[in-house]
Each structure stands twice: as C-alpha cells, then as structure tokens.
Amino acid sequence: MKHKDAQEIVKEKLPEKRYKHSKRVAETAVEMAKIFEADVDKCYLAGILHDYSKYDELSEMYQCVTQYKLDPNLLSFKSEVLHGPVAAVKMREEFRIDDEEIYQAIMNHTSGRSHMTLIEKIIFTADYIEPKRTQPGVDYIRDIVFEEQNLDFAVYEITKSNILHLVSKDRSIYPRTLDCLNYYNMVKE
Ligand SMILES: [Fe+2]
Ligand SMILES: [Fe+2]
C-alpha cells in the first residue's frame, strides 16, 4: 500500500485528533527506523495504520477475535488491548496488506509481547513517545531511545510503567504484556 492511500483510509476512518496522532507515530517510527536500521517504508505504514480500529464497536471487536481465531484471552479485555489485534486483522483481510512484520507491529502495539521484531518494538515505542505525548516519564523514555539508543530497555520501561499504572487502578494485565515485561527484563542491558 502506498503511504498516501494509507493516510487516506485512516483520515476517513478516525477523528482528526487521532489521525494527527497516527501521523506523528508514523513520523517518529521513521525517525527511529533510521537510527535502528529498520525498513522505513514498513515503519511508516505500520505507524499510520496502528490505531485504525481504536473506536470500533466492542461487540464487533469480539466477533473479529472469534472469526479470525485470535488469542481467546482477548475476550476478557476491552478496546484498549483489542484495537491492535483487530486493526491488524482488518489490514490483512480488508486491505490486503500481506506483510507479517506490519501485521505483528499493529497487532502488538497495545500489549507488547516477548521476542518482538525490530519493527514491533519501534511502533510500540513510537506510540508512547511521539512528540505530543506528555505523560510523566516520557522524556526519560525519549532519552533511552534517542540518546542511549537502547530499544529493548525502552520497551521494558514502557511496559513496566503501563503495568504499574494498570495495577494502581485495579485493572487486569493481559498475559502477553506480562510476557513482554519478563522477557525484556531478562534481555535489557
Ligand atoms: Fe493504539
Ligand atoms: Fe496510538
């Protein structure tokens, strides 16, 4: 898919604010692709498309999990986790984007997982640090990415912060997110 076509489908589907976020994630992912020597084109596409299903109906998302035999654990979670897997499947089934790395990057941007590919780690991190993000600790993560250039450590710190936040709100943790924490705790330097 051409970048322009990807931009168009996202612009049509999402509110302006989310479309702009998607563009910033794509641009941040491209910047990171240059540093970490990833495929720039795939990073742009995964970045612009990652939130395509952000506002889909929850019932439709659950239907998608069943229809495409996604991880059944997803049925215990809500849009926050589901919009990644659902967008990934839609890109493959409806828009014929037949690229495993883009698929996985969109799929796992909401949860992380163990053994992520370079492009998955870039999208997961770019989503967290795009320039308009202001959450506490975001500059610390930006330093890890752009100064230390330690992507595995950035993934670990983001996952840790997400889990701490969820636990503080008495929310459940999607198993892949725990796998992500354990794996990157082991491999980080
Ligand atoms: Fe998202
Ligand atoms: Fe996002």
Side-chain angles (χ1 to χ4, degrees), residues 41-104:
D41 189 48
K42 288 186 189 188
C43 282
Y44 187 88
L45 282 175
I48 193 89
L49 297 168
H50 79 287
D51 272 344
Y52 182 80
S53 292
K54 181 91 180 170
Y55 306 109
D56 288 4
E57 286 289 338
L58 195 56
S59 58
E60 192 202 328
M61 291 188 176
Y62 289 144
Q63 203 187 326
C64 198
V65 171
T66 312
Q67 186 180 350
Y68 295 104
K69 300 189 168 56
L70 301 177
D71 177 12
N73 286 318
L74 286 168
L75 298 172
S76 309
F77 291 84
K78 298 223 164 77
S79 169
E80 204 176 15
V81 177
L82 279 149
H83 75 268
V86 170
V89 164
K90 285 194 173 177
M91 287 308 135
R92 195 180 63 192
E93 302 297 325
E94 292 176 21
F95 294 99
R96 302 283 156 210
I97 298 182
D98 195 20
D99 181 282
E100 184 63 20
E101 288 184 295
I102 295 176
Y103 178 79
Q104 294 295 349

Side-chain angles (χ1 to χ4, degrees), residues 18 21 50-51 127 133:
R18 187 54 49 174
H21 159 73
H50 79 287
D51 272 344
D127 193 23
R133 293 289 201 195

Side-chain angles (χ1 to χ4, degrees), residues 3 26 29-31 33-34 37-45 119:
H3 292 187
V30 164
E31 200 182 332
K34 290 173 184 162
E37 298 178 1
D39 186 309
V40 169
D41 189 48
K42 288 186 189 188
C43 282
Y44 187 88
L45 282 175
I119 295 180

Side-chain angles (χ1 to χ4, degrees), residues 110-113 116 124-125 128 135-137 140-141 144 151-169 171-174 176-186 188-189:
T110 50
S111 62
R113 64 165 179 163
M116 286 198 279
F124 180 79
T125 305
Y128 196 86
Q135 70 276 35
Y140 167 63
I141 306 292
I144 296 171
L151 198 47
D152 287 343
F153 188 47
V155 167
Y156 173 73
E157 288 290 309
I158 292 167
T159 305
K160 186 171 78 176
S161 161
N162 287 342
I163 288 177
L164 286 171
H165 176 75
L166 288 166
V167 170
S168 79
K169 304 260 176 212
R171 305 270 302 279
S172 302
I173 311 297
Y174 180 52
R176 276 189 196 180
T177 303
L178 288 173
D179 293 343
C180 184
L181 183 86
N182 290 334
Y183 179 76
Y184 288 98
N185 190 22
M186 182 177 68
K188 72 179 165 54
E189 286 162 27

